[in-house]
Amino acid sequence: MTSSTASAITDSELDAVFAPIFDRIAAGAVAREVDRRLPFDEVSWLKEARFGALRVPVEFGGYGASVRQLFRLLIDLAAAESNLPQALRVHWSFVEDQRLAEPGPQRERWLRVVAAGTLVGNAITEPGVGAVDRYHTRLAEDGDRLLLNGVKYYSTGSLFADHILVAADRDGERLGVLVDANAEGVVQHDDWDGFGQRLTASGTTEFTDVVVAPDRVLGPGYGVAGPTYGTAYLQLVQLAVLAGIAARAERDAREWVSARTRTYTHASADLPREDPLVQQVIGKLSAAAFTARATVLAVADILDRVLAAGAKDHGDLAAAELAAAQAQLAVIDIVLAATTQLFELGGASIVSEQLRLDRHWRNARTVSVHNPAIFKARAVGDHLLNGTELPFGWSAGERRTEVTR
């Protein structure tokens, strides 16, 4: 089943719906950071506006937005609250999987459920061995029932979700299993302790004898061998987060400088906003935000074409993966530099806890360690020099010389 790059809705129509919500979310960003308050209310505002239905086709009740339009809005949302696009990351790939599925009752069911406002979280990553060999989260028959058991780390956004997409193993086969977030046997913990992206609800999830209906087994799960659009797509959500962080950092820095009257005896002007050195920093911050945004949208255009063609052509999938990887290497460096450089604008007052401008660097640094850039850079070089296939659907965990099966 293919999707269309032709959008059923315009950018201005989408902005009319979501820009006021984003502004409302942005207004409480610093207070949420200070209090470490998970954005349950803010997620409810997005659900009420059916933000999760952006990519659902119009015929199933969605907005019918293009991939480019989705990522444009994800950047804007990240500028308001960088935790939220990351928290919703797997929701978007779930919707794309349904769009690409063969026509039928199950496909229509899930697209309509999402169109009504439902959000899907994830439970993929595991501790220890992880999924380098096979998932330790298992789906097994127990009489006439299917039971799910296991523990997942970094279940980003699942505390905000209605359903959780779980990566599981059934007799050596990788599967995607959809469970209700409030199902009996599901226990979620808000135990993410990273110094950035603190409000993504990236905690541990435990599954103990969770009963899974046969129609909730969705087929091959994350990490199945072979080219996929999914790795590039999920990476691009992270890059949209970075682009949004850059935009907010530039805006916050500009507003702070514009209102500032305090300067130095050896400064080049009486007011910071008139100082050519300060102006230079603001110019660089704006360039970083522009470049990050343009790069993300360029890759989104590629994914639009790949998904429109059904995401089956290996050459197209490789091109999308390469573009996302190259974008990752560029955007990370640009945004990390910008969120550090903004502190050159002032003295000790710019590091005030009340401003929380440090959150931009902490959040950018945290997002950037997902899919570590050093491994991606090597993979890109190996691919370009030797034709080695890029790592699709890779997993994290302990690598063992000998694996006991």
Side-chain angles (χ1 to χ4, degrees):
M1 181 68 188
T2 61
S3 58
S4 172
T5 56
S7 174
I9 191 168
T10 67
D11 288 352
S12 59
E13 288 171 327
L14 289 170
D15 287 341
V17 175
F18 294 109
I21 299 173
F22 295 170
D23 288 343
R24 189 179 174 193
I25 290 171
V30 173
R32 284 191 299 275
E33 175 74 16
V34 171
D35 298 336
R36 200 191 176 281
R37 179 180 64 79
L38 293 181
F40 287 105
D41 290 342
E42 291 73 14
V43 171
S44 72
W45 303 340
L46 294 173
K47 288 183 67 173
E48 185 177 351
R50 301 187 307 114
F51 187 68
L54 281 168
R55 284 285 290 156
V56 175
V58 172
E59 59 264 35
F60 299 114
Y63 287 98
S66 67
V67 175
R68 181 187 180 88
Q69 288 178 314
L70 167 64
F71 278 91
R72 188 178 68 84
L73 288 174
L74 289 178
I75 294 169
D76 292 345
L77 176 58
E81 173 55 84
S82 67
N83 292 276
L84 287 175
Q86 185 180 354
L88 300 175
R89 188 166 70 126
V90 170
H91 173 88
W92 306 113
S93 62
F94 173 80
V95 173
E96 296 297 345
D97 285 346
Q98 305 316 305
R99 284 180 61 105
L100 292 168
E102 292 298 320
Q106 180 144 311
R107 174 178 182 267
E108 180 173 350
R109 170 194 179 189
W110 289 116
L111 287 173
R112 290 195 181 279
V113 165
V114 170
T118 290
L119 294 177
V120 176
N122 86 97
I124 295 174
T125 303
E126 295 183 350
V129 173
V132 169
D133 173 37
R134 58 195 287 184
Y135 291 114
H136 285 210
T137 299
R138 302 294 170 86
L139 183 68
E141 293 184 5
D142 180 64
D144 60 353
R145 302 185 303 170
L146 291 173
L147 297 182
L148 182 70
N149 285 277
V151 178
K152 296 288 189 177
Y153 280 8
Y154 310 140
S155 307
T156 305
S158 288
L159 277 169
F160 308 128
D162 303 286
H163 305 298
I164 304 173
L165 184 62
V166 185
D169 177 277
R170 182 171 65 182
D171 298 327
E173 178 186 13
R174 291 181 183 235
L175 295 170
V177 178
L178 199 65
V179 303
D180 294 341
N182 61 357
E184 185 177 354
V186 177
V187 178
Q188 299 188 68
H189 304 274
D190 178 26
D191 57 1
W192 163 240
D193 65 350
F195 62 61
Q197 294 296 94
R198 293 172 172 172
L199 309 181
T200 54
S202 298
T204 303
T205 306
E206 301 175 65
F207 302 92
T208 305
D209 289 338
V210 179
V211 178
V212 177
D215 65 354
R216 293 295 189 92
V217 181
L218 303 184
Y222 179 83
V224 173
T228 174
Y229 82 91
T231 319
Y233 196 100
L234 292 169
Q235 179 64 70
L236 196 61
V237 176
Q238 304 287 47
L239 301 186
V241 173
L242 287 170
I245 290 171
R248 177 56 61 180
E250 185 273 335
R251 194 175 313 168
D252 286 351
R254 180 159 39 91
E255 290 177 354
W256 186 80
V257 167
S258 295
R260 185 169 169 80
T261 58
R262 186 177 172 84
T263 188
Y264 294 88
T265 55
H266 54 298
S268 303
D270 292 336
L271 292 174
R273 67 176 181 273
E274 296 172 352
D275 192 309
L277 297 178
V278 171
Q279 292 167 354
Q280 181 184 46
V281 172
I282 294 296
K284 287 184 176 180
L285 295 181
S286 72
F290 173 84
T291 302
R293 183 183 187 90
T295 302
V296 169
L297 295 181
V299 181
D301 286 339
I302 295 172
L303 282 168
D304 246 330
R305 295 191 292 271
V306 169
L307 290 164
K312 294 179 180 178
D313 183 271
H314 285 198
D316 289 345
L317 293 170
E321 184 65 27
L322 177 61
Q326 291 169 326
Q328 176 188 358
L329 299 176
V331 170
I332 286 175
D333 286 349
I334 290 169
V335 177
L336 287 179
T339 53
T340 298
Q341 192 172 35
L342 71 85
F343 292 101
E344 299 297 333
L345 294 170
S349 56
I350 201 171
V351 299
S352 168
E353 285 278 5
Q354 299 304 311
L355 296 174
R356 289 287 169 131
L357 292 177
D358 63 302
R359 79 185 191 279
H360 298 314
W361 182 87
R362 288 188 289 100
N363 290 339
R365 180 67 276 179
T366 301
V367 171
S368 298
V369 299
H370 290 70
N371 318 345
I374 57 171
F375 299 123
K376 191 63 68 69
R378 186 212 60 79
V380 168
D382 194 15
H383 172 74
L384 295 175
L385 287 170
N386 305 310
T388 306
E389 187 175 86
L390 291 164
F392 294 94
W394 51 266
S395 297
E398 296 174 6
R399 289 174 56 174
R400 297 178 178 178
T401 305
E402 295 182 3
V403 178
T404 303
R405 294 183 180 272

